[in-house]
Amino acid sequence: MAERMLRRRTKRQAWKWQRKLNCYRERQRQIEANASDILKSKNFNRMKEYIQHGDVTVNSHVMDVARYSIALSEKLHIRCSRRELIRGALLHDYFLYDWHIPDYENPHKLHGFYHPGVALRNALKEYHLTEREKDIIRKHMWPLTVIPPGCREAWIVTTADKWCSLLETLHMHRGHGAILDKLKEG
């Protein structure tokens, strides 16, 4: 009897993991379909060099935020522009520096307040952004950015960003910081 229960549980677990994997692959497919130009960008890939929270790179963080944003909009049945949601999520932290390391020009003490503007300026140099994408990038740090998000997509990305940041800060979500350390040594 216990063996049968164990087998059933194992099959159920396998089914659940297969379902999760399929969802992950579908979200990844949506990201690639809507933002292939961003994913191939030299500067976007430079974000693999910088740590965001804990040991998670900025690149991993924004990819997670994009996946969680898609999941959140699907789970809550929120109608929105999937393309703008994904592109805004990928560019919301496009500040292109390591905010943990102060430099002469910018000590990064108020990074939380200023990086949305820096990210928006950097993104505008490389991409044509819609008003919604600009709103997502500019206001994703609400309530630090005093004006709240102005569209559904921005609210979704803001929520997903807070959730991912919490998981990363509490080390409940592991990143690829070890790879970064190896790259710096080699």
Side-chain angles (χ1 to χ4, degrees):
M1 176 105 167
E3 288 178 26
R4 250 189 289 150
M5 296 271 294
L6 184 59
R7 258 186 270 138
R8 229 182 286 150
R9 186 170 150 209
T10 304
K11 285 180 183 178
R12 183 172 179 227
Q13 286 176 336
W15 176 80
K16 285 173 84 174
W17 278 107
Q18 186 63 47
R19 209 171 108 216
K20 283 183 181 182
L21 179 61
N22 290 341
C23 286
Y24 176 88
R25 286 179 177 160
E26 174 56 25
R27 290 178 187 130
Q28 193 63 32
R29 187 200 62 73
Q30 289 179 40
I31 291 168
E32 290 168 5
N34 287 291
S36 62
D37 59 327
I38 295 172
L39 297 175
K40 293 175 187 172
S41 159
K42 182 180 172 185
N43 279 335
F44 183 79
N45 285 296
R46 270 184 50 210
M47 294 194 310
K48 294 175 183 173
E49 301 171 17
Y50 310 125
I51 295 294
Q52 179 71 348
H53 306 109
D55 64 349
V56 177
T57 64
V58 178
N59 187 282
S60 291
H61 170 74
V62 298
M63 292 296 290
D64 287 340
V65 170
R67 283 188 286 269
Y68 275 97
S69 295
I70 295 167
L72 192 59
S73 69
E74 288 173 353
K75 194 77 167 171
L76 298 177
H77 305 287
I78 300 171
R79 290 179 38 209
C80 63
S81 168
R82 187 64 50 94
R83 179 176 171 78
E84 291 172 311
L85 177 76
I86 290 169
R87 295 177 71 81
L90 292 176
L91 296 172
H92 81 276
D93 279 339
Y94 202 62
F95 44 82
L96 305 175
Y97 58 82
D98 190 340
W99 63 274
H100 299 91
I101 302 170
D103 57 37
Y104 181 73
E105 291 179 27
N106 190 352
H108 308 303
K109 288 182 180 174
L110 298 173
H111 170 78
F113 292 94
Y114 295 117
H115 84 268
V118 175
L120 181 58
R121 281 191 299 279
N122 289 339
L124 284 170
K125 289 176 189 174
E126 289 185 55
Y127 308 102
H128 173 73
L129 301 176
T130 66
E131 288 305 313
R132 282 187 180 142
E133 291 165 350
K134 291 176 190 175
D135 194 59
I136 292 167
I137 298 167
R138 186 183 301 119
K139 298 175 184 172
H140 79 273
M141 284 301 291
W142 183 82
L144 292 182
T145 54
V146 181
I147 302 170
C151 61
R152 293 176 187 159
E153 294 81 359
W155 279 107
I156 294 168
V157 171
T158 299
T159 304
D161 182 46
K162 303 291 183 262
W163 179 249
C164 289
S165 298
L166 176 68
L167 294 178
E168 293 162 7
T169 302
L170 297 177
H171 300 284
M172 296 172 75
H173 179 83
R174 301 286 181 210
H176 298 95
I179 294 170
L180 175 67
D181 293 340
K182 286 180 186 177
L183 290 173
K184 286 182 179 176
E185 292 172 4

